[in-house]
Every structure is written in C-alpha cells, then in structure tokens.
Amino acid sequence: MLHKTNALFQQIYDDLCRKIEAGEWKENEKLPSIRKLADELGVHRLTVFKAYQLLKEHQKVYVKEKSGYYVKGELAISHHPIVAAYTQRNHLSEIHQVPAAYQFSVSLIDPNLLPNAYFSDYVKRVFDLYPKVLGTYASVQGDEELRTALANYFGTTHRFQVNSEELLVTSGSQQAIDLLAKIFIRPRDVVLVERPTYSSAMDTFRQHGAHIKSITIHPYGYDLDEVEHCMKVYKPRFFYTNPTFHNPTGYTVPPSQRKKLVALAEQYHCVIVEDDPFRDIYFYDAPPSPIFTYDTDGHVVYIRSFSKYVSPGLRIAVIACRMPLMKSLLTAKSLADNGTPLLNQKIFLHYFLSQRLQLHIAKLRTALWMRKEAMEKEMTQSDWYWEQPDGGLNLWVQLPTYVSMKTLLQKAHERSISFAPGRIFDVDGEFHSWIRLSYSYMNERELRTGIAQLIALTKPEIYV
Ligand SMILES: Cc1ncc(COP(=O)(O)O)c(C=O)c1O
C-alpha cells in the first residue's frame, strides 16, 4: 500500500528493497520492466524509473545495457521471513568471523602486546576500592570520576577544554557512531563520509536509512572545494571523518585543513563527527590536534576510543560534545544500555591514570613500528603500491589491476589468509584493486610468511 505522505518513487524504492532483501528476487535476477511495474502499480513510468535509479545508486541493482535492472550479489541473505525482516550487514565483522592463520583483516592490536598480566592487579584494586561496584547501575553518562579524569587529560594533552558534563562514556566507538546515527539520521538524510571510509560506520549509517555521499581523502587531506560543494549542495546531517591515521588509508589531514573544515561546518551548518581511535599510535611526531580543538561553536563532535591501545575488551570510548546535543545523546544512550558497565570504567580509569600506561604506549609504538617495517620490507618483493603511514594499524595497498579480487579472496581463504577487500570501504563498492592489510595482529615472522604467500597469490600467471 502506498502512502500519500512520502514521495511515490521512494515508497516504491523501499518496497523493492524489502523484497530484494527478503529474497523475492535472487542474485542476478532481472527486475520487472519499468513499463510492467508501472502498469501493475498504476503509476507513471517515470516514477518507477526514479525508484530503479535510486536502487542503482544504492548498489542494490546493476544495469545491463538494453536489457534491464538486475539484483546485485550478496543482498538477498535469507529466505526466512523473520530473519529477512531484520537483514542488515556489517561487512568487516563478517570477514572477521572467518578464522585465519594469517590475520591481516583485523585492525586490532595483537593481545600479546597488551599488558594482560597487569590487568588482574587493577581488577583486584577496583574491587578493594569499590566493593559494591557490581551491585549498582553505572550512571547513563558514565562514571563521574572517569569523566573528570578524561576532561583533565583532554585539557592537558590535546588543549581542548571540556568539562565532565560534556563527556559521555560509551561502549566502544562503534556504539558512539551508532548513537549519533540514531539521533541525527532519518531515512534518506544525507551523510557525508570520506572515500574510502571505515566500513562499519558506513554500514551503521546505511542501517539508519542514510543516503551516503563521499569526499575523497588523499595523502594530503581533502579537496576543500569538494567539501564545500558537498556541504552546500547536499546539506548533509553530518560529515563523518577519521582524520588522523585514517582507517583504511593511514592518511592524516593537515592542521591547516582542520581549521578550514570547522569554518565550513559553521558556514553550512554541518556537524563534523571526528572519530579518533588511532591518535596515540604514531611512529614519529605526534599528530596534529583534533579538529575539535578548533571548534568554538559546537559544530564538532569528538569520538575517542581507547580500544586500540588500552584494551578492546573493556569497550571504553568517550564522546565529547557541547550542549544541547548531549541531552539527546543521553536519551539515546539510556535507551541503548542504561550506561557502560561500571566495572569496566573503573578498571580503565585506574589503568589509564597509571604510570604503567605511559610505558606501555611507548613500547607499543616501537613494537608496531617494527611490525610495519617488517611487513613493508617483505612487500618490496611485490609490485604493489602503498603510501607509508606515520601511524595507525593498517597499510592501504593497491594491487596490479589484473588481479581479480574474487579469485584472490578465494585463494587466500584456502591458504588461511584474511585481508579486507577495498570495496567494503567505499560507498560505491569500488576500489576493486585495493586491499587493507593490518600489521598489528601478528608478529614479524608471521607477517613475513603471510605476506610472502599473499604476494605469490598476486602473480600474473594465476590470472591468465
Ligand atoms: C575508525 C574506527 N572507528 C571506530 C572503530 C571501532 O572501535 P571500538 O572498538 O572502540 O568500537 C574502529 C575499529 O577498528 C575504527 O577503525
């Protein structure tokens, strides 16, 4: 049934999406012709044409010249009516679920590099200090002691002034991204992302019905004219950025651009969501200050995860933002989980404030740099292309164009090698000859062996 309130083509689009996801049309199956569907629905052909064009734009169908519209692969996941009703995707987590001996796909620190032995000391200390820690709910906004400590930390290390009321503790930055999507996005709202971008953020925005537009990130940052054009023309709800040791490319946006971005955000009333999980993982100089530092008017929301170098298992991240956005975030957070577990927050707090953490980060930087160097050295045996990152956990690598990603994925899987294909980081599903390789999860020996095997799988003779 078509409702009068929404544009007709959008209702047809929604209905077609639902049918594709429910498996009514299978992969590579042709959709009814525009004329047939228009007659069936009693609408103008142009209306159906617009719905089909939107499907194409959202990567749900592809077009065969002079033939029609066909369902793209991997969309119809389940034929079970209940499962199909809730079908969503998280491309990265699907890749991570496949076990592999050579793990290049997870952008996570090797657990052997984390101070696991010391964590038990902190757990014990927390139970001694707060014997009722498990007997109470955490506050929705997060533990006051932790927020005060983080506000001091941001003031001294990043020179941005926030008070504890302007901080919200979340269960990882994935939750922060999801909460922001919940409060900002309504179906068909435009969201700007970088191209390429962190794929789970894009999957989250899609899940909330966002129409995603992208801005290319280069080794030198953005083309600011492109940013201005997108803000002006598309009026996005926000621009999601990861400007420091960007995932997947490792690029860092220079300070001059950070300042100008804030000016553009103010001019076009576009919020900037700055996701900053890799800031402390630098190999040479410390990176430029966060974009948030330049904001005086509440146009930037800052997300800082501590998963990457403190502990992924504690799931501690924080959102810094100005009022009144915090009010909406608090409501969203209370509806999501009523607060991040207090025990995790207290363990994190005591470790975070310890001298041990500083020693750990310094050692971690060296260990990761050595791993990166080992991997790059092995990669010099290939004809792959990549830019050397100054920090972060990944290399963004271009393979020769003759390499078929489908074949490479299959062959790598057979040899228990995992990597993340470039297309999952792109709103248009392109970057077909690019892959993301993480150097953070395996030791140097494993990295070298895994890369040597992967190089062998990209030799031209395999693709003739
Ligand atoms: C850019 C970016 N944002 C967010 C996350 C999620 O981090 P968390 O473990 O804090 O949810 C990741 C994880 O890889 C990431 O790369």
Side-chain angles (χ1 to χ4, degrees):
M1 160 137 170
L2 302 176
H3 298 274
K4 283 202 177 120
T5 44
N6 281 342
L8 207 50
F9 79 92
Q10 282 169 341
Q11 292 176 48
I12 295 171
Y13 164 81
D14 288 342
D15 192 48
L16 292 170
C17 282
R18 200 177 44 74
K19 286 182 171 149
I20 292 173
E21 293 195 348
E24 236 169 82
W25 291 298
K26 310 274 175 320
E27 189 176 328
N28 299 321
E29 194 173 326
K30 190 177 170 190
L31 296 190
S33 71
I34 292 179
R35 180 197 300 196
K36 185 160 178 255
L37 190 60
D39 288 349
E40 259 173 34
L41 297 173
V43 298
H44 198 280
R45 282 179 208 163
L46 201 58
T47 311
V48 175
F49 173 74
K50 276 170 86 179
Y52 277 16
Q53 284 300 104
L54 202 55
L55 285 175
K56 189 178 140 214
E57 217 174 290
H58 288 193
Q59 306 285 314
K60 306 217 180 265
V61 298
Y62 63 95
V63 180
K64 270 196 205 166
E65 210 49 36
K66 297 203 177 89
S67 172
Y69 293 80
Y70 290 78
V71 175
K72 265 201 156 182
E74 301 178 343
L75 288 169
I77 289 174
S78 168
H79 301 290
H80 189 286
I82 294 173
V83 177
Y86 298 103
T87 296
Q88 294 144 5
R89 296 204 69 179
N90 179 343
H91 291 81
L92 259 184
S93 96
E94 284 168 27
I95 292 172
H96 296 162
Q97 276 159 26
V98 181
Y102 297 101
Q103 259 297 356
F104 294 106
S105 67
V106 288
S107 169
L108 258 192
I109 309 273
D110 175 357
N112 294 316
L113 293 181
L114 294 176
N116 305 297
Y118 294 127
F119 276 132
S120 59
D121 294 352
Y122 293 98
V123 175
K124 183 163 180 326
R125 189 183 303 172
V126 164
F127 276 105
D128 290 345
L129 286 169
Y130 318 95
K132 295 182 189 151
V133 66
L134 289 181
T136 166
Y137 272 124
S139 84
V140 171
Q141 188 155 4
D143 180 47
E144 173 68 44
E145 204 184 352
L146 174 58
R147 283 185 289 118
T148 305
L150 287 172
N152 289 337
Y153 165 77
F154 287 137
T156 48
T157 57
H158 302 348
R159 287 171 303 162
F160 68 65
Q161 302 307 322
V162 279
N163 60 50
S164 63
E165 295 305 304
E166 293 169 321
L167 296 179
L168 167 68
V169 178
T170 60
S171 301
S173 50
Q174 188 58 39
Q175 184 182 53
I177 294 168
D178 190 53
L179 295 179
L180 287 162
K182 274 194 181 114
I183 64 174
F184 277 116
I185 304 173
R186 293 291 165 269
R188 289 178 285 279
D189 279 348
V190 174
V191 165
L192 277 184
V193 300
E194 291 146 335
R195 182 165 194 237
T197 188
Y198 172 51
S199 82
S200 301
M202 198 160 50
D203 289 339
T204 306
F205 305 149
R206 281 202 177 112
Q207 188 191 316
H208 289 276
H211 186 49
I212 302 178
K213 295 280 176 191
S214 61
I215 288 165
T216 303
I217 182 162
H218 305 274
Y220 59 81
Y222 313 116
D223 171 349
L224 287 179
D225 289 339
E226 191 188 355
V227 177
E228 176 159 17
H229 172 82
C230 288
M231 286 186 177
K232 196 171 174 176
V233 174
Y234 302 124
K235 300 185 176 39
R237 297 292 288 150
F238 59 76
F239 176 21
Y240 168 79
T241 66
N242 172 208
T244 307
F245 311 133
H246 171 262
N247 182 3
T249 62
Y251 305 156
T252 292
V253 175
S256 57
Q257 291 205 348
R258 293 175 184 236
K259 206 170 172 184
K260 287 183 190 144
L261 269 177
V262 174
L264 287 175
E266 283 174 15
Q267 187 178 348
Y268 295 103
H269 306 294
C270 173
V271 171
I272 292 180
V273 174
E274 179 178 17
D275 190 6
D276 201 14
F278 306 109
R279 165 158 298 276
D280 289 288
I281 304 173
Y282 56 86
F283 305 133
Y284 314 104
D285 295 330
S289 298
I291 300 176
F292 189 84
T293 332
Y294 298 97
D295 180 36
T296 50
D297 212 24
H299 278 83
V300 184
V301 179
Y302 184 71
I303 307 175
R304 179 65 175 277
S305 168
F306 297 94
S307 291
K308 302 296 172 191
Y309 70 93
V310 180
S311 155
L314 287 176
R315 311 296 302 128
I316 298 292
V318 66
I319 302 180
C321 70
R322 308 299 177 189
M323 305 290 176
L325 184 60
M326 182 55 83
K327 213 164 166 258
S328 306
L329 275 171
L330 283 173
T331 308
K333 173 74 177 165
S334 66
L335 290 171
D337 65 2
N338 263 334
T340 296
L342 186 56
L343 178 61
N344 296 18
Q345 296 187 57
K346 290 293 193 194
I347 296 170
F348 173 80
L349 168 70
H350 286 272
Y351 179 53
F352 191 68
L353 295 180
S354 70
Q355 193 53 34
R356 204 170 256 163
L357 178 77
Q358 296 313 319
L359 296 173
H360 158 65
I361 302 177
K363 280 194 202 150
L364 185 63
R365 284 188 196 118
T366 311
L368 287 172
W369 176 79
M370 285 168 66
R371 288 178 183 210
K372 176 188 84 77
E373 292 286 303
M375 184 148 120
E376 288 188 309
K377 192 160 175 229
E378 194 65 41
M379 282 165 53
T380 53
Q381 306 302 313
S382 72
D383 47 5
W384 304 350
Y385 163 83
W386 72 99
E387 293 274 340
Q388 292 187 343
D390 295 337
L393 308 177
N394 308 302
L395 294 183
W396 179 237
V397 178
Q398 188 174 27
L399 306 176
T401 45
Y402 60 75
V403 173
S404 144
M405 199 50 69
K406 200 169 171 200
T407 309
L408 180 64
L409 276 165
Q410 191 193 325
K411 293 201 175 292
H413 179 64
E414 284 162 15
R415 283 164 185 75
S416 201
I417 302 173
S418 81
F419 63 84
R423 65 175 155 73
I424 69 166
F425 302 99
D426 181 28
V427 62
D428 296 325
E430 292 178 4
F431 286 104
H432 294 297
S433 54
W434 292 79
I435 59 175
R436 188 193 73 180
L437 297 175
S438 302
Y439 44 79
S440 52
Y441 205 73
M442 288 180 286
N443 63 35
E444 282 94 324
R445 189 179 39 79
E446 291 163 330
L447 284 171
R448 279 194 293 267
T449 318
I451 289 295
Q453 293 197 22
L454 199 54
I455 292 175
L457 296 180
T458 61
K459 293 276 179 241
E461 50 272 27
I462 297 184
Y463 299 91
V464 284

